[in-house]
Structure formats: structure tokens, C-alpha cells
Amino acid sequence: MIIGMLNQKGGVGKTTLSVNLAASLAQTGARVLLIDADPQGSALDWAAAREGEPLFSVVGLPRPTVHKEIAQIGQGYDHIVIDGPPRVTDLARSVIMAADVVLIPVQPSPYDIWAADEVVKLIQEAAIYKQNQKAAFVVNRKIANTAIGRDVGEALAGYALPVLAASVTQRVLFAEAAAQGKAVFELDKSGQAAAEIDAVRVELMEFAK
Ligand SMILES: Nc1ncnc2c1ncn2[C@@H]1O[C@H](COP(=O)(O)OP(=O)(O)OP(=O)(O)O)[C@@H](O)[C@H]1O
Ligand SMILES: [Mg+2]
């Protein structure tokens, strides 16, 4: 399966969720490739910070030809996660065209909810070419026990796309793991951050079937 992690808005958690989702998929025994389609190269930086064995392969492909190259580059992998760029429209279009399922991280903030209309429009435009494509929101950086965390689902209901029931809470572990090029489960195997990522993986796999 090819999963495109996309949102035109910057800093919503595309790279954080991409590396952790890729790691979670790799943990199930799947062969996983992470494509860094962002010119900022954050996923490549994550991989470079890592010491020891990689959990999965990471390649940089910040070009609007991802959808044309993916069949070749993705050969031999069970799952491919594409970490998309913020803002760059032609790259985002290419990621949408490449993906079987687009996952849109959003933070529980009104600015993020408003800004999501850009990526939703791009997905709707691409629907002409990709009739079977699936797309869903995933709430990231939810703050535990706050109303804004609960309300975000309702606010996103204004868009025609579903919101995953699984969501990811704001936790310092995500930044700590990123600094070492690690996935959260490597720092805290039975912790809640790892459990939330696994829940996103399980729901996404079911959703994308
Ligand atoms: N659930 C979380 N808990 C705590 N910190 C988080 C979480 N998700 C993301 N962050 C932090 O938020 C910042 C932005 O995250 P990230 O780089 O993943 O976003 P992005 O959408 O990839 O950004 P860009 O648009 O620049 O590519 C990072 O410092 C990251 O560590
Ligand atoms: Mg990023």
C-alpha cells in the first residue's frame, strides 16, 4: 500500500507521523520504504541522526514526478509511506497521484482546520484521475482532556473526508525520539505514544482496504 502523508500547512506532524507509521509497519514484518518528498529533507535528516540498524529504507525524492517513479522505486516493498512537503503544490499533486490513501494530519486548532481546505481541494481535483483514492484526516498533537481535542472531529466534519477515530496526543517523546532518528516505540515500547501510532496503523490498514 502507498500512503501519502500530506497537508499544505507546515508543522502539523507529517514527518513525525510518517517515520513512526513506517516504523510501526516495519514492526509487523513488512518491507517498508519511506520516500521523503519534501525539499526540506526532514525524513532524511531523521534517518541521518540514527545510529545502528535502520528499521526501513528512506530515500529522498523531492520532485513532482513521484507518481511516475514510484512503481520503479517501490519495487520489492510491501508498504510505501510518502512524507509530503508543505506548500509546494506540484509536489503535493504528485504525492496524491502516487498514493492509494492520503492521510492528512491536523492539529486541533482552528487555523489547522481552516488551512485543511487547500489539501482537500487538491484531493478533490485529483479525484478525476484517481477514482478509487481514499483520504482521511488524523488528529495529531491532541492535548489530553481538553475540549478542543474532542471538538476537532466535529469541526472537520465540514469537509467531505472522514476523520480516523485513532488520534495522536501531544507528547515530548515524539521530539525526543526524532532527535535520535528513532521511532517512539524504540524509546518506550509499551508506552502510549507507540500504542497510538499502532492504532493509527491498524485503522488505516482497515480503512484503505
Ligand atoms: N504528537 C506530537 N507531540 C509532540 N510534538 C510533536 C508531535 N507531532 C509533531 N511534533 C513536533 O512538531 C514539530 C513539527 O512536526 P513535523 O516536523 O512532524 O511536522 P511537518 O508537518 O512534517 O512539518 P513541515 O510542514 O515543516 O514538513 C516537530 O518539532 C515535532 O517534533
Ligand atoms: Mg515534514
Side-chain angles (χ1 to χ4, degrees), residues 9-17 38 40 42 83-84 86 140-141 168-172 174-175:
K9 185 147 194 318
V12 294
K14 294 180 289 294
T15 303
T16 302
L17 297 189
D38 182 356
Q40 294 178 108
S42 306
D83 180 17
N140 181 36
R141 300 190 94 164
V168 178
T169 303
Q170 157 93 20
R171 292 179 207 278
V172 70
F174 282 101

Side-chain angles (χ1 to χ4, degrees):
M1 173 164 326
I2 305 173
I3 302 148
M5 196 72 72
L6 209 58
N7 193 331
Q8 296 291 83
K9 185 147 194 318
V12 294
K14 294 180 289 294
T15 303
T16 302
L17 297 189
S18 290
V19 299
N20 282 288
L21 180 63
S24 176
L25 287 164
Q27 271 302 94
T28 67
R31 290 160 299 178
V32 179
L33 172 67
L34 175 61
I35 297 180
D36 189 343
D38 182 356
Q40 294 178 108
S42 306
L44 291 173
D45 289 341
W46 175 88
R50 185 178 178 87
E51 286 173 9
E53 288 297 299
L55 292 169
F56 48 83
S57 314
V58 186
V59 297
L61 191 58
R63 293 193 293 271
T65 49
V66 182
H67 61 295
K68 291 183 186 160
E69 297 181 53
I70 197 149
Q72 183 108 39
I73 292 168
Q75 262 176 34
Y77 292 98
D78 301 309
H79 298 298
I80 303 169
V81 179
I82 311 173
D83 180 17
R87 293 177 291 277
V88 199
T89 308
D90 59 343
L91 282 174
R93 281 207 184 93
S94 183
V95 173
I96 293 168
M97 293 303 290
D100 300 315
V101 57
V102 178
L103 200 54
I104 310 164
V106 276
Q107 301 181 76
S109 119
Y111 305 115
D112 271 44
I113 291 156
W114 295 325
D117 77 310
E118 270 191 64
V119 65
V120 171
K121 268 192 204 128
L122 286 182
I123 290 168
Q124 284 166 346
E125 282 167 22
I128 306 166
Y129 311 99
K130 293 214 71 158
Q131 276 156 10
N132 298 323
Q133 185 165 59
K134 297 194 171 172
F137 291 108
V138 58
V139 178
N140 181 36
R141 300 190 94 164
K142 205 173 62 174
I143 300 174
N145 306 319
T146 56
I148 186 87
R150 288 193 298 275
D151 293 348
V152 65
E154 279 172 40
L156 287 169
Y159 292 111
L161 301 178
V163 185
L164 294 191
S167 60
V168 178
T169 303
Q170 157 93 20
R171 292 179 207 278
V172 70
L173 192 69
F174 282 101
E176 288 169 353
Q180 304 171 46
K182 286 188 172 165
V184 285
F185 81 79
E186 294 179 283
L187 297 197
D188 188 3
K189 194 165 174 37
S190 49
Q192 295 193 325
E196 286 178 351
I197 294 290
D198 285 346
V200 169
R201 168 185 44 84
V202 169
E203 190 179 351
L204 182 66
M205 288 295 121
E206 192 56 37
F207 172 72
K209 258 185 194 166

